[in-house]
Amino acid sequence: MGTKLHSGNRSGRRHGRLHWLWVLLIQIVSSLLIALPLSLSLWLGGAIHNLCMWGLSSIAGFVSACIATRNGLLNYAAWIAPPVMLFVGYVLVWGYAPSAGPVFLCGFVSLVGAATGEVLNQRQKKK
């Protein structure tokens, strides 16, 4: 974490030209792998399922978007995968869409996570 992600010249970059694509693919896969067991929590009862869908999915979205932004994914794109994969994971498990509330909350909190990652990147550049 102490190394610079981007520098002013091309030769000083830590990552290759398509590094952001790998970060996006890793974020998509990891978000889906988190969404599947969260969707299965419906078997554990309403309270636990609500905690998973409203709370844990949002926390995971925040962390995922922040890490993706810190690793080179554009912050405008880093927030999209967590809520989309929450929706897709739920549809894959149950065959129908989840409530819109948890998906929108996950999207909003992921947006805040991506913004946090961008602020951390900007602070690192100033040092």
Side-chain angles (χ1 to χ4, degrees), residues 6-27:
H6 300 286
S7 67
N9 61 5
R10 219 173 233 287
S11 62
R13 288 192 178 180
R14 184 176 140 210
H15 303 297
R17 187 177 280 200
L18 293 177
H19 176 73
W20 65 270
L21 184 60
W22 286 109
V23 173
L24 180 62
L25 290 174
I26 290 169
Q27 185 189 27

Side-chain angles (χ1 to χ4, degrees), residues 26-91:
I26 290 169
Q27 185 189 27
I28 289 170
V29 170
S30 63
S31 294
L32 184 60
L33 291 175
I34 290 169
L36 292 172
L38 290 178
S39 299
L40 285 171
S41 69
L42 185 60
W43 284 339
L44 301 175
I48 293 175
H49 181 64
N50 285 335
L51 175 69
C52 289
M53 292 298 289
W54 286 89
L56 295 179
S57 67
S58 296
I59 292 169
F62 178 91
V63 171
S64 172
C66 185
I67 290 172
T69 302
R70 297 280 294 154
N71 283 299
L73 186 59
L74 186 64
N75 63 326
Y76 298 113
W79 69 273
I80 297 171
V84 170
M85 290 300 110
L86 179 63
F87 182 88
V88 169
Y90 200 92
V91 169

